[in-house]
Amino acid sequence: MQQRRFDGGRSACYLAGNSEPMRAFFTSVAVLSAPAFAQEVVKLELSADDRMIYSKTSFEVTSGQKVSLVFKNTSTKGEKAMKHNIVLLKPGTPIMAFAPKCLAAAATGYVPTDKESKEKMVGSTKLIAGGQSATLNFVAGEAGEYLFFCSSPGHFDKMHGKIVVKVK
């Protein structure tokens, strides 16, 4: 079998024959390139208590970034505290138009599960009581404003904010 060189004769990497140099070459390229492709997760922290307000109303991330939105209910009343969550909407979805669907979704923690609603959401956390936390992990989509709110009945008008996604 004829051996052809990968690079016109300048390396020990062959298409046929001893494949060990080829394997070593590609392994080293993969290891050296890994940090270029690795991406750190951006951690956003948000909290709320019985006053029905979020601790922050705006965040900024970059398109394509991995995001971990950590939400804590800081009420000291435990299970007796008001329960809160986060529903993150895709750009162009107004809270006022989406919130009524949440009221009809009591069985699923006030987060609608129909196909149309799911297409308008990036994701959501479950309702959490005082002292609990929940995390929403996602990859920041296209540039724009992603609105978030608490879907617990009567909360969305006070508990809302946005995540602004900037172009890379």
Side-chain angles (χ1 to χ4, degrees):
M1 176 185 273
Q2 180 184 8
Q3 293 183 347
R4 294 189 320 185
R5 291 185 179 251
F6 210 112
D7 65 352
R10 292 186 297 274
S11 79
C13 297
Y14 300 101
L15 290 176
N18 182 3
S19 64
E20 202 54 42
M22 176 88 67
R23 188 174 299 117
F25 171 76
F26 283 116
T27 301
S28 66
V29 168
V31 170
L32 291 174
S33 299
F37 294 111
Q39 185 178 11
E40 286 189 37
V41 175
V42 174
K43 184 178 178 181
L44 306 178
E45 295 181 343
L46 186 65
S47 63
D49 58 22
D50 292 320
R51 295 175 296 151
M52 290 182 26
I53 56 171
Y54 285 129
S55 58
K56 295 181 183 177
T57 57
S58 184
F59 296 96
E60 190 173 296
V61 297
T62 304
S63 180
Q65 229 171 4
K66 293 178 183 179
V67 180
S68 182
L69 178 55
V70 179
F71 175 57
K72 296 177 183 173
N73 186 335
T74 56
S75 174
T76 58
K77 296 179 183 176
E79 282 296 320
K80 293 180 181 181
M82 280 190 242
K83 292 186 178 180
H84 303 298
N85 70 350
I86 297 173
V87 175
L88 180 59
L89 301 174
K90 291 181 179 175
T93 306
I95 293 172
M96 293 298 287
F98 193 86
K101 289 185 167 202
C102 297
L103 292 174
T108 54
Y110 298 102
V111 178
T113 58
D114 62 285
K115 184 179 178 184
E116 181 186 353
S117 296
K118 284 183 172 183
E119 289 174 354
K120 294 180 178 189
M121 292 187 298
V122 173
S124 64
T125 65
K126 64 180 183 172
L127 285 169
I128 57 172
Q132 296 179 332
S133 64
T135 302
L136 175 60
N137 295 307
F138 61 96
V139 176
E142 63 187 40
E145 287 189 1
Y146 293 70
L147 302 177
F148 64 85
F149 69 102
C150 177
S151 67
S152 191
H155 293 204
F156 73 90
D157 61 331
K158 288 184 173 184
M159 297 182 72
H160 54 84
K162 64 183 175 185
I163 297 176
V164 177
V165 177
K166 299 283 187 178
V167 178
K168 272 187 179 176

